[in-house]
Amino acid sequence: MMRFAIGIDIGGTKMLAALGDERGNLLAEMACSTHNVHGGEAGVTELVEAVAVKAGLRPQDAAAIGVGAPGPMDLATGTLLNPPNLGWGTVPIRQLILDRFGVPTMLTNDCKAAGYGEFRFGAGRGTQNMVYLGIGTGIGGCVIIGGQVYVGATGNAGEIGHTVIALDGPLCGCGARGCLEALASGSALGRLGQEAAATSGGQLLALVNGDVKAITGAHVAQAAAQGDPVAQGVFNYAIRGLGAGVGNVMNAFGPERVVLGGGVVAKNGSGYVKRVEEATQGFTLRGCGVPVVAAELGERSGVLGALAHAWEQARTHK
Ligand SMILES: [Zn+2]
Protein backbone atom coordinates (compact mmCIF):
# COMPACT_ATOMS: atom_id res chain seq x y z
CA MET A 1 0.00 0.00 0.00
CA MET A 2 1.25 3.49 -0.81
CA ARG A 3 2.09 5.85 2.01
CA PHE A 4 -0.35 8.73 2.22
CA ALA A 5 -1.21 11.68 4.44
CA ILE A 6 -4.31 13.86 4.79
CA GLY A 7 -4.60 17.63 4.89
CA ILE A 8 -7.68 19.46 6.19
CA ASP A 9 -8.37 23.18 5.78
CA ILE A 10 -11.10 24.54 8.07
CA GLY A 11 -12.52 27.81 6.79
CA GLY A 12 -15.32 30.05 7.99
CA THR A 13 -17.80 28.63 5.47
CA LYS A 14 -16.32 25.37 4.15
CA MET A 15 -13.80 22.68 4.92
CA LEU A 16 -11.52 21.10 2.32
CA ALA A 17 -9.70 17.79 2.52
CA ALA A 18 -6.87 16.43 0.38
CA LEU A 19 -5.25 13.00 0.50
CA GLY A 20 -1.90 12.56 -1.19
CA ASP A 21 1.67 11.41 -1.22
CA GLU A 22 4.79 13.21 -0.04
CA ARG A 23 5.23 15.07 -3.32
CA GLY A 24 1.72 16.47 -3.27
CA ASN A 25 0.23 14.05 -5.79
CA LEU A 26 -3.42 13.80 -4.76
CA LEU A 27 -5.57 10.67 -4.75
CA ALA A 28 -8.72 12.32 -3.46
CA GLU A 29 -10.14 15.71 -2.52
CA MET A 30 -13.38 16.66 -0.81
CA ALA A 31 -15.24 19.74 0.39
CA CYS A 32 -18.09 20.19 2.83
CA SER A 33 -19.82 22.94 4.77
CA THR A 34 -18.13 24.03 8.01
CA HIS A 35 -21.55 24.24 9.62
CA ASN A 36 -22.83 20.85 8.57
CA VAL A 37 -25.72 18.95 10.09
CA HIS A 38 -23.45 16.96 12.42
CA GLY A 39 -21.89 20.01 14.07
CA GLY A 40 -18.52 21.41 13.19
CA GLU A 41 -15.96 19.42 15.13
CA ALA A 42 -17.64 16.07 14.42
CA GLY A 43 -17.59 17.13 10.77
CA VAL A 44 -13.78 17.23 10.82
CA THR A 45 -13.39 13.54 11.68
CA GLU A 46 -16.18 12.66 9.24
CA LEU A 47 -14.34 14.54 6.50
CA VAL A 48 -11.08 12.70 7.29
CA GLU A 49 -12.98 9.42 7.06
CA ALA A 50 -14.78 10.41 3.85
CA VAL A 51 -11.69 11.50 1.91
CA ALA A 52 -9.92 8.26 2.86
CA VAL A 53 -12.90 6.17 1.77
CA LYS A 54 -13.04 8.09 -1.51
CA ALA A 55 -9.41 7.07 -2.16
CA GLY A 56 -10.19 3.46 -1.18
CA LEU A 57 -8.05 3.74 1.97
CA ARG A 58 -8.49 3.64 5.74
CA PRO A 59 -7.82 6.86 7.70
CA GLN A 60 -6.05 4.76 10.37
CA ASP A 61 -3.35 3.98 7.79
CA ALA A 62 -2.46 7.64 7.13
CA ALA A 63 1.15 8.57 7.90
CA ALA A 64 -0.11 11.79 9.48
CA ILE A 65 -2.92 14.34 9.38
CA GLY A 66 -2.40 18.11 9.12
CA VAL A 67 -5.12 20.61 10.00
CA GLY A 68 -5.17 24.32 9.20
CA ALA A 69 -7.75 26.41 11.04
CA PRO A 70 -8.45 30.01 12.02
CA GLY A 71 -7.00 31.13 15.35
CA PRO A 72 -6.68 31.64 18.18
CA MET A 73 -5.25 28.23 19.00
CA ASP A 74 -2.89 26.51 21.40
CA LEU A 75 -0.30 25.00 19.09
CA ALA A 76 1.36 22.91 21.81
CA THR A 77 -1.82 20.96 22.55
CA GLY A 78 -3.44 21.35 19.13
CA THR A 79 -6.54 23.01 20.57
CA LEU A 80 -8.78 25.57 18.88
CA LEU A 81 -9.56 28.34 21.38
CA ASN A 82 -13.04 29.42 20.37
CA PRO A 83 -12.18 30.93 16.96
CA PRO A 84 -14.75 33.67 16.26
CA ASN A 85 -15.05 32.59 12.60
CA LEU A 86 -16.18 29.06 13.53
CA GLY A 87 -18.41 29.39 16.58
CA TRP A 88 -17.33 25.91 17.75
CA GLY A 89 -16.08 26.89 21.17
CA THR A 90 -12.88 25.28 22.46
CA VAL A 91 -12.07 22.12 20.50
CA PRO A 92 -9.07 19.84 21.21
CA ILE A 93 -8.84 19.02 17.53
CA ARG A 94 -5.53 17.14 17.61
CA GLN A 95 -6.67 14.89 20.47
CA LEU A 96 -10.02 14.34 18.78
CA ILE A 97 -8.38 13.03 15.60
CA LEU A 98 -5.73 11.07 17.51
CA ASP A 99 -8.39 9.34 19.64
CA ARG A 100 -10.48 8.47 16.61
CA PHE A 101 -7.78 7.29 14.18
CA GLY A 102 -4.55 6.92 16.19
CA VAL A 103 -2.66 8.99 13.62
CA PRO A 104 -0.12 11.73 14.50
CA THR A 105 -1.82 15.08 13.87
CA MET A 106 -0.64 18.64 13.78
CA LEU A 107 -2.66 21.84 13.95
CA THR A 108 -1.55 25.07 12.35
CA ASN A 109 -2.91 28.52 11.65
CA ASP A 110 -4.86 28.65 8.36
CA CYS A 111 -2.76 31.43 6.87
CA LYS A 112 0.49 29.66 7.73
CA ALA A 113 -0.91 26.55 6.05
CA ALA A 114 -1.76 28.58 2.95
CA GLY A 115 1.70 30.14 2.87
CA TYR A 116 3.35 26.76 3.27
CA GLY A 117 1.18 25.34 0.49
CA GLU A 118 2.28 28.11 -1.88
CA PHE A 119 5.89 27.58 -0.77
CA ARG A 120 5.86 23.85 -1.48
CA PHE A 121 3.52 23.57 -4.46
CA GLY A 122 2.63 27.06 -5.75
CA ALA A 123 4.08 30.53 -6.34
CA GLY A 124 6.93 30.02 -3.84
CA ARG A 125 8.27 26.79 -5.39
CA GLY A 126 12.05 26.75 -5.67
CA THR A 127 12.69 29.36 -2.98
CA GLN A 128 14.14 28.84 0.49
CA ASN A 129 13.02 32.20 1.89
CA MET A 130 9.56 33.51 1.17
CA VAL A 131 6.85 35.57 2.78
CA TYR A 132 3.15 35.02 2.15
CA LEU A 133 0.37 37.48 2.92
CA GLY A 134 -3.23 36.30 2.82
CA ILE A 135 -5.39 39.36 2.14
CA GLY A 136 -9.04 38.61 2.80
CA THR A 137 -11.42 39.61 5.58
CA GLY A 138 -8.23 40.10 7.62
CA ILE A 139 -4.56 39.93 6.70
CA GLY A 140 -2.55 36.91 7.79
CA GLY A 141 1.10 36.16 7.24
CA CYS A 142 3.50 33.27 6.86
CA VAL A 143 7.26 33.79 7.00
CA ILE A 144 9.43 31.01 5.60
CA ILE A 145 13.12 31.09 6.47
CA GLY A 146 15.52 28.43 5.24
CA GLY A 147 12.65 26.25 4.04
CA GLN A 148 10.83 26.28 7.39
CA VAL A 149 7.78 28.20 8.58
CA TYR A 150 9.13 30.65 11.15
CA VAL A 151 6.92 30.73 14.26
CA GLY A 152 9.33 32.32 16.74
CA ALA A 153 9.62 31.55 20.44
CA THR A 154 5.90 32.05 20.97
CA GLY A 155 4.65 30.01 18.03
CA ASN A 156 2.79 33.07 16.80
CA ALA A 157 5.39 34.94 14.73
CA GLY A 158 4.49 36.13 11.25
CA GLU A 159 1.44 38.23 12.10
CA ILE A 160 2.30 40.77 9.42
CA GLY A 161 -1.29 41.99 9.31
CA HIS A 162 -0.78 43.48 12.75
CA THR A 163 2.37 45.43 12.01
CA VAL A 164 1.52 49.09 12.46
CA ILE A 165 1.67 51.16 9.27
CA ALA A 166 -0.04 54.36 10.42
CA LEU A 167 0.36 55.57 14.00
CA ASP A 168 -3.07 56.77 15.16
CA GLY A 169 -4.58 55.19 12.03
CA PRO A 170 -7.90 53.31 11.92
CA LEU A 171 -8.76 51.01 14.83
CA CYS A 172 -7.91 47.33 14.25
CA GLY A 173 -9.80 44.29 15.51
CA CYS A 174 -6.75 43.50 17.69
CA GLY A 175 -7.22 46.75 19.63
CA ALA A 176 -4.26 48.65 18.16
CA ARG A 177 -4.50 51.48 15.65
CA GLY A 178 -3.15 51.62 12.12
CA CYS A 179 -2.35 47.92 11.62
CA LEU A 180 -1.89 46.84 8.00
CA GLU A 181 -5.08 44.79 8.42
CA ALA A 182 -7.02 47.92 9.46
CA LEU A 183 -5.91 49.76 6.29
CA ALA A 184 -5.84 47.21 3.52
CA SER A 185 -7.87 44.05 4.26
CA GLY A 186 -11.13 43.39 2.45
CA SER A 187 -13.14 44.46 5.49
CA ALA A 188 -10.98 47.60 5.93
CA LEU A 189 -11.70 48.55 2.31
CA GLY A 190 -15.41 48.20 3.03
CA ARG A 191 -15.28 50.17 6.28
CA LEU A 192 -13.08 52.96 4.88
CA GLY A 193 -15.32 53.02 1.79
CA GLN A 194 -18.40 53.52 4.01
CA GLU A 195 -16.72 56.40 5.83
CA ALA A 196 -15.58 58.05 2.61
CA ALA A 197 -18.96 57.64 0.91
CA ALA A 198 -20.80 59.03 3.95
CA THR A 199 -18.83 62.29 3.77
CA SER A 200 -18.05 62.56 0.05
CA GLY A 201 -20.74 60.54 -1.74
CA GLY A 202 -19.76 59.44 -5.22
CA GLN A 203 -20.47 56.32 -7.21
CA LEU A 204 -20.17 54.03 -4.17
CA LEU A 205 -23.55 55.25 -2.94
CA ALA A 206 -25.16 54.48 -6.29
CA LEU A 207 -23.84 50.88 -6.17
CA VAL A 208 -25.72 50.27 -2.91
CA ASN A 209 -28.81 52.44 -3.60
CA GLY A 210 -27.71 54.93 -0.96
CA ASP A 211 -27.36 52.35 1.83
CA VAL A 212 -23.89 53.34 3.13
CA LYS A 213 -23.72 50.38 5.53
CA ALA A 214 -24.03 47.97 2.60
CA ILE A 215 -20.73 49.09 1.02
CA THR A 216 -18.16 46.27 0.93
CA GLY A 217 -14.54 46.00 -0.18
CA ALA A 218 -15.76 44.57 -3.48
CA HIS A 219 -17.87 47.71 -4.10
CA VAL A 220 -14.83 49.89 -3.42
CA ALA A 221 -12.71 47.89 -5.88
CA GLN A 222 -15.47 48.02 -8.50
CA ALA A 223 -16.10 51.77 -8.16
CA ALA A 224 -12.37 52.48 -8.15
CA ALA A 225 -11.94 50.48 -11.36
CA GLN A 226 -14.78 52.51 -12.90
CA GLY A 227 -12.95 55.75 -12.08
CA ASP A 228 -14.85 56.99 -9.01
CA PRO A 229 -12.41 59.34 -7.24
CA VAL A 230 -13.79 58.67 -3.72
CA ALA A 231 -13.37 54.90 -4.12
CA GLN A 232 -9.99 55.39 -5.77
CA GLY A 233 -8.85 57.40 -2.75
CA VAL A 234 -9.67 54.48 -0.44
CA PHE A 235 -8.25 51.85 -2.78
CA ASN A 236 -5.02 53.77 -3.42
CA TYR A 237 -4.55 54.28 0.33
CA ALA A 238 -4.85 50.52 0.85
CA ILE A 239 -2.32 49.86 -1.93
CA ARG A 240 0.11 52.34 -0.35
CA GLY A 241 -0.43 50.66 3.02
CA LEU A 242 0.39 47.31 1.46
CA GLY A 243 3.43 48.86 -0.20
CA ALA A 244 4.66 49.93 3.22
CA GLY A 245 3.77 46.61 4.88
CA VAL A 246 5.34 44.46 2.18
CA GLY A 247 8.33 46.81 1.95
CA ASN A 248 8.89 46.41 5.71
CA VAL A 249 8.79 42.65 5.27
CA MET A 250 11.40 42.83 2.51
CA ASN A 251 13.69 44.99 4.65
CA ALA A 252 13.23 42.79 7.72
CA PHE A 253 13.43 39.28 6.26
CA GLY A 254 15.11 39.51 2.85
CA PRO A 255 12.88 36.92 1.17
CA GLU A 256 13.45 35.80 -2.43
CA ARG A 257 9.88 36.80 -3.23
CA VAL A 258 6.65 37.85 -1.56
CA VAL A 259 3.49 35.94 -2.45
CA LEU A 260 0.07 37.59 -2.10
CA GLY A 261 -3.01 35.38 -1.76
CA GLY A 262 -6.50 35.50 -0.29
CA GLY A 263 -9.87 36.71 -1.53
CA VAL A 264 -8.91 40.33 -2.24
CA VAL A 265 -6.03 39.19 -4.48
CA ALA A 266 -8.20 36.59 -6.22
CA LYS A 267 -10.86 39.23 -6.97
CA ASN A 268 -8.52 42.01 -8.13
CA GLY A 269 -5.98 39.95 -10.06
CA SER A 270 -2.48 40.52 -11.32
CA GLY A 271 -2.92 44.27 -11.89
CA TYR A 272 -3.48 44.68 -8.15
CA VAL A 273 -0.40 42.61 -7.27
CA LYS A 274 1.66 44.67 -9.73
CA ARG A 275 0.49 47.88 -8.07
CA VAL A 276 1.45 46.58 -4.63
CA GLU A 277 4.88 45.65 -5.99
CA GLU A 278 5.31 49.17 -7.38
CA ALA A 279 4.18 50.69 -4.10
CA THR A 280 6.89 48.81 -2.17
CA GLN A 281 9.52 50.82 -4.03
CA GLY A 282 9.03 53.83 -1.80
CA PHE A 283 9.64 51.72 1.31
CA THR A 284 12.51 49.34 0.56
CA LEU A 285 16.17 49.93 1.23
CA ARG A 286 18.60 49.71 -1.64
CA GLY A 287 19.12 46.07 -2.57
CA CYS A 288 16.13 44.86 -0.53
CA GLY A 289 13.37 45.02 -3.16
CA VAL A 290 12.23 41.62 -4.49
CA PRO A 291 9.37 40.46 -6.74
CA VAL A 292 5.79 40.41 -5.46
CA VAL A 293 3.71 37.68 -7.11
CA ALA A 294 0.17 36.32 -6.91
CA ALA A 295 -0.59 32.99 -5.23
CA GLU A 296 -1.13 30.15 -7.71
CA LEU A 297 -3.18 27.55 -5.84
CA GLY A 298 -6.37 29.56 -5.30
CA GLU A 299 -8.56 28.24 -2.49
CA ARG A 300 -6.46 25.03 -2.35
CA SER A 301 -3.30 26.63 -0.95
CA GLY A 302 -4.43 25.98 2.64
CA VAL A 303 -5.37 22.34 2.21
CA LEU A 304 -2.20 21.56 0.26
CA GLY A 305 -0.16 23.31 2.95
CA ALA A 306 -1.94 21.25 5.62
CA LEU A 307 -1.01 18.12 3.64
CA ALA A 308 2.64 19.25 3.46
CA HIS A 309 2.56 19.94 7.21
CA ALA A 310 1.18 16.44 7.77
CA TRP A 311 4.22 14.99 5.97
CA GLU A 312 6.53 17.11 8.15
CA GLN A 313 4.76 15.61 11.15
CA ALA A 314 5.16 12.09 9.72
CA ARG A 315 8.90 12.60 9.32
CA THR A 316 9.34 13.70 12.93
CA HIS A 317 7.33 10.67 14.17
CA LYS A 318 9.23 8.05 12.19
ZN1 LIG B 1 -4.13 44.71 14.51
Side-chain angles (χ1 to χ4, degrees):
M1 185 191 66
M2 69 166 279
R3 268 170 65 77
F4 68 94
I6 296 172
I8 302 284
D9 179 32
I10 304 173
T13 54
K14 63 181 170 180
M15 299 194 283
L16 303 179
L19 182 151
D21 69 12
E22 203 155 355
R23 297 168 67 182
N25 301 310
L26 301 186
L27 263 76
E29 288 185 87
M30 289 197 78
C32 72
S33 164
T34 300
H35 306 283
N36 63 21
V37 286
H38 304 290
E41 68 263 44
V44 175
T45 49
E46 281 172 25
L47 184 59
V48 167
E49 186 107 44
V51 76
V53 167
K54 189 173 178 188
L57 296 160
R58 300 185 333 138
Q60 294 87 335
D61 295 327
I65 296 171
V67 180
M73 59 184 60
D74 181 341
L75 292 167
T77 62
T79 304
L80 296 179
L81 303 173
N82 193 16
N85 292 351
L86 298 182
W88 291 358
T90 294
V91 182
I93 200 113
R94 190 172 78 191
Q95 198 59 45
L96 217 67
I97 294 177
L98 194 62
D99 289 349
R100 179 77 180 271
F101 305 115
V103 172
T105 300
M106 75 95 68
L107 176 67
T108 189
N109 166 289
D110 51 1
C111 195
K112 288 197 175 79
Y116 196 55
E118 289 292 334
F119 169 70
R120 289 290 305 278
F121 307 120
R125 270 191 326 275
T127 66
Q128 281 295 302
N129 304 284
M130 183 204 103
V131 175
Y132 172 86
L133 265 73
I135 308 169
T137 309
I139 295 184
C142 176
V143 176
I144 289 171
I145 298 176
Q148 301 288 325
V149 176
Y150 179 72
V151 298
T154 58
N156 297 315
E159 291 290 353
I160 295 156
H162 299 284
T163 51
V164 174
I165 300 300
L167 286 177
D168 309 316
L171 192 62
C172 182
C174 76
R177 283 191 175 276
C179 292
L180 181 58
E181 176 169 304
L183 306 185
S185 65
S187 48
L189 278 177
R191 188 174 31 73
L192 296 173
Q194 291 176 10
E195 288 170 16
T199 52
S200 310
Q203 202 176 325
L204 277 172
L205 283 179
L207 285 176
V208 292
N209 297 319
D211 181 4
V212 171
K213 287 280 164 216
I215 294 172
T216 65
H219 292 126
V220 172
Q222 184 188 344
Q226 289 167 358
D228 176 55
V230 176
Q232 281 178 342
V234 172
F235 203 70
N236 293 347
Y237 180 62
I239 297 267
R240 276 194 70 219
L242 280 166
V246 173
N248 290 344
V249 159
M250 290 177 184
N251 292 338
F253 296 108
E256 290 156 68
R257 71 187 73 131
V258 175
V259 177
L260 304 184
V264 173
V265 177
K267 280 201 193 81
N268 292 293
S270 58
Y272 169 83
V273 173
K274 199 81 214 152
R275 287 192 62 197
V276 173
E277 181 179 60
E278 284 163 10
T280 62
Q281 286 167 12
F283 301 98
T284 47
L285 296 174
R286 189 190 301 245
C288 289
V290 296
V292 180
V293 300
E296 291 177 359
L297 302 174
E299 66 171 20
R300 292 159 84 235
S301 53
V303 73
L304 292 175
L307 178 65
H309 273 304
W311 280 114
E312 292 271 292
Q313 184 76 2
R315 277 190 286 278
T316 56
H317 276 73
K318 239 176 217 163

